[in-house]
Amino acid sequence: MDAEDAAELDAWLGEQVSQHHALLWTVLFQRLEETGVAEDLLQETFVRAWLHRADGHQIQHPRAWLYRVARRLAEKRLGKDRRSQQARRTTTLTLVVSNDGDLGAGVLRQDVARLVRRLSVKDRECLLLTSYGVSTADIAAMLRMSPAAVRRSLHRTHRALHKLRDKGAGPAYPEHAGRAWEGLTMNQEPGEDQFRRDKLVQLAVRALLPRQGRIPPPPEIDVTNLIALAHQRRSAQESTRWLWRPRLWRLRLWRVAVPAVVLVVLLIVGVEVVRSYSVPGPAGPGTTDPVLADPEQPLPLTAGAGTAPARHQLAAIARHVHSLDQPAVDQPALDQPVPDQPATADRYTYVHLRAWWRDDPATGQDGGAYDRRLWWAADRSGQETRVDPAEPDRPAEVVEYPPGALGVAVPDPAADRTVLAGQLAEEQPMHEGPQAALRAVVGLYRFHDLSPAQRAAALAVLADAELVTHGPVLDRAGRSGVAVSATGGMDGRPVRDTAVIDTATGRLLSYERVALPADDRAAAGTVTHYLVFLRSGRVGRLGAEPAD
């Protein structure tokens, strides 16, 4: 890094500190409730941002990126605390109840606090971030949700709070307690400012904040010292990068021979795996209205537990898919006229998927399902329609996105594996393990119709992760593919993430999450969430579907 680049990076960090340190401080202190620890993690968040940029990665949405890093740091710290302090094992929220001399209002405050504790993690985060003054679009980017999902979350919270207010006519509350929290009607969807001003919402936020709703002012950050610490960290990383080098000439012969034999055996196994999967299988049906399998049953993984590495298999599929992106040999002659194509013939990306998730009694999250069709343009404008599969005759919910409103994971995915890996690392840090790579690629398919070269790059990224293969399987839409998976955690619970990939096209067909035996919220083998990617393409107008 030359002096000019270093100066530009230092200036960028100073700008991020001035713009975002107050919000990050509030987020960290709300979770940790310890001033010293929150200050250390606040500093660590900005240092990691500097190092990330110094390694050549871009951060397209700094506020969202910094928020996710700060949240992960806080969760890791809380995970360590939970192992040493059983009192904080279940939740980090503080129950705040103050009667203020008003018995009816005190009872209502207690009920609000209990309700807030039952909200899902996403609903609590949406509630808090909105109260901090963060816009719906920024919350969507921070939490990897759509703006429509954020609005639905706020509306759910608003309805639940006002159901409590409407109990003011009952014997539990004096008559004036119900009038003390007048605001919007229960069924009215609030705007951002209206939501923040609502007295019940303010009461709910106080129940989430430590010290009866009071958070200390953010500490002053010396950007010069922060930059110096980042430079020291980078120098330390570079100095230790070359310390360990195996010197084969100092090893005894048996220490070389044994790994060589193991390597030969692995190569033979790898060749057989590649041979098995280098020939593409049959493409899945192109139906847009499949008959899905039982959502509560996991996919029948025919190859068993899946202990064989998926690297060679995914690399073989990637090579095949990359060959599909090569130009055709029989190009038209130069003197033959090419019909004019309208400039807007493929303006919109179209993605059709179906999602399902089960009830989570521990968090109060209700189960549900939706069938989503999304159209969006390069300026991140577009339209989304959602239908409940259980009520196909009910009118679809339609959301319009003005330019810049739609939060898209990696707006312009690269066709190079290295560049794409960097783009995905910005959305989902890859050091968190194989599940991070798998979930990052799933995020791409939620919004994009990937070209063969982009699909090959995504497969190459998955090949670099430590996924395991389960062999051929039929997905929930009856399409054939190969199943790969990764085992890890999700919200503190052990789960297995499984994806089904079409060997002919390299497309991701479906994705599901299954609870493992140590999960105390669901029985082992229970499906908790799945996505089925039904169709994607390019169209010229909203509401259109791509031709077969």
Side-chain angles (χ1 to χ4, degrees):
M1 181 187 304
D2 56 28
E4 183 177 353
D5 291 339
E8 181 182 354
L9 178 55
D10 294 347
W12 176 85
L13 183 62
E15 181 182 353
Q16 303 312 314
V17 170
S18 64
Q19 291 181 0
H20 306 303
H21 88 284
L23 172 64
L24 297 179
W25 166 255
T26 304
V27 169
L28 288 168
F29 189 85
Q30 186 272 328
R31 282 173 164 79
L32 300 168
E33 304 183 25
E34 297 181 25
T35 303
V37 177
E39 288 182 359
D40 292 342
L41 296 189
L42 179 64
Q43 179 176 266
E44 177 67 18
T45 299
F46 287 113
V47 169
R48 291 196 178 192
W50 190 96
L51 294 172
H52 191 73
R53 286 289 304 272
D55 288 339
H57 303 300
Q58 296 297 318
I59 301 179
Q60 297 178 355
H61 304 287
R63 193 178 200 183
W65 192 93
L66 290 167
Y67 172 80
R68 289 195 289 266
V69 171
R71 182 178 61 178
R72 285 194 297 272
L73 290 174
E75 289 173 351
K76 288 181 180 179
R77 179 56 186 256
L78 288 172
K80 295 179 181 178
D81 293 343
R82 290 190 188 102
R83 288 190 290 270
S84 60
Q85 301 178 16
Q86 292 299 318
R88 301 182 70 177
R89 179 174 59 84
T90 57
T91 181
T92 62
L93 301 179
T94 302
L95 181 62
V96 179
V97 178
S98 174
N99 289 338
D100 296 336
D102 186 338
L103 177 61
V107 174
L108 181 58
R109 284 189 176 91
Q110 293 181 35
D111 286 348
V112 168
R114 294 189 186 97
L115 171 64
V116 169
R117 292 170 68 96
R118 294 196 301 269
L119 294 177
S120 68
V121 174
K122 289 287 189 183
D123 287 346
R124 288 199 298 263
E125 288 192 279
C126 289
L127 172 63
L128 283 173
L129 289 172
T130 302
S131 71
Y132 300 156
V134 184
S135 67
T136 299
D138 284 345
I139 294 174
M142 290 175 176
L143 304 182
R144 296 193 180 95
M145 301 168 64
S146 68
V150 174
R151 290 192 292 270
R152 285 194 295 269
S153 171
L154 298 178
H155 186 45
R156 282 197 303 270
T157 303
H158 175 261
R159 283 177 56 87
L161 289 170
H162 280 261
K163 284 182 180 178
L164 291 177
R165 186 200 63 179
D166 292 345
K167 291 171 62 178
Y173 308 114
E175 183 180 354
H176 65 276
R179 297 196 303 268
W181 311 104
E182 292 179 354
L184 300 171
T185 62
M186 183 179 67
N187 294 320
Q188 181 180 354
E189 182 173 349
E192 293 179 15
D193 292 337
Q194 291 175 312
F195 187 86
R196 296 187 190 104
R197 292 195 301 266
D198 191 285
K199 293 183 178 181
L200 276 176
V201 170
Q202 295 172 4
L203 185 62
V205 170
R206 287 192 61 194
L208 285 171
L209 297 181
R211 301 184 183 181
Q212 296 191 5
R214 294 190 295 272
I215 290 182
E220 296 293 333
I221 296 182
D222 190 332
V223 179
T224 303
N225 292 339
L226 191 66
I227 292 173
L229 178 61
H231 280 280
Q232 292 175 5
R233 183 82 62 83
R234 182 169 176 80
S235 299
Q237 290 177 351
E238 291 178 348
S239 63
T240 58
R241 188 173 297 171
W242 306 98
L243 287 180
W244 188 85
R245 286 288 183 182
R247 300 181 178 180
L248 294 179
W249 56 85
R250 293 186 179 180
L251 299 177
R252 296 179 181 178
L253 181 60
W254 67 270
R255 293 181 178 177
V256 178
V258 172
V261 172
V262 174
L263 179 61
V264 170
V265 173
L266 291 177
L267 287 175
I268 294 174
V269 174
V271 169
E272 293 300 321
V273 172
V274 171
R275 183 179 301 170
S276 301
Y277 291 98
S278 59
V279 179
T287 176
T288 60
D289 189 20
V291 178
L292 299 179
D294 184 356
E296 300 192 16
Q297 295 297 323
L299 291 174
L301 303 179
T302 55
T307 57
R311 173 185 297 270
H312 300 293
Q313 178 180 352
L314 293 172
I317 300 174
R319 288 193 296 271
H320 163 71
V321 173
H322 190 271
S323 67
L324 301 178
D325 200 52
Q326 302 303 315
V329 177
D330 52 345
Q331 296 291 341
L334 296 179
D335 57 349
Q336 292 182 355
V338 178
D340 294 334
Q341 295 292 333
T344 59
D346 57 353
R347 177 184 176 187
Y348 295 100
T349 299
Y350 169 83
V351 178
H352 180 197
L353 62 84
R354 184 168 293 185
W356 177 91
W357 63 99
R358 69 179 298 108
D359 294 333
D360 191 344
T363 62
Q365 176 73 41
D366 294 332
Y370 61 76
D371 189 284
R372 188 203 77 175
R373 287 175 168 85
L374 174 67
W375 296 264
W376 65 280
D379 62 355
R380 289 171 39 218
S381 65
Q383 176 180 291
E384 176 184 352
T385 65
R386 292 199 180 198
V387 176
D388 186 345
E391 301 180 84
D393 296 332
R394 184 177 179 180
E397 176 186 357
V398 180
V399 179
E400 302 287 345
Y401 296 103
L406 180 64
V408 178
V410 189
D412 188 16
D416 178 84
R417 65 186 296 176
T418 304
V419 179
L420 181 61
Q423 292 176 325
L424 295 177
E426 182 178 335
E427 298 290 328
Q428 183 85 41
M430 297 303 177
H431 66 265
E432 295 185 353
Q435 280 181 313
L438 189 56
R439 292 170 184 171
V441 171
V442 171
L444 283 182
Y445 277 85
R446 291 179 67 96
F447 295 96
H448 293 285
D449 175 50
L450 299 180
S451 68
Q454 291 170 327
R455 278 178 257 148
L459 288 167
V461 171
L462 293 180
D464 292 336
E466 297 177 0
L467 303 178
V468 297
T469 180
H470 299 266
V473 68
L474 293 179
D475 81 334
R476 296 183 177 277
R479 300 168 296 185
S480 62
V482 62
V484 296
S485 73
T487 301
M490 183 71 177
D491 295 333
R493 297 175 289 177
V495 295
R496 182 183 67 224
D497 292 37
T498 303
V500 180
I501 298 170
D502 189 336
T503 58
T505 65
R507 292 184 182 274
L508 181 65
L509 299 179
S510 63
Y511 163 80
E512 75 175 27
R513 191 177 302 139
V514 177
L516 295 181
D519 189 347
D520 58 357
R521 301 188 189 183
T526 300
V527 179
T528 60
H529 172 79
Y530 77 71
L531 293 170
V532 180
F533 300 96
L534 299 173
R535 199 175 185 187
S536 64
R538 306 283 299 185
V539 296
R541 60 180 177 83
L542 296 174
E545 295 194 8
D548 293 333

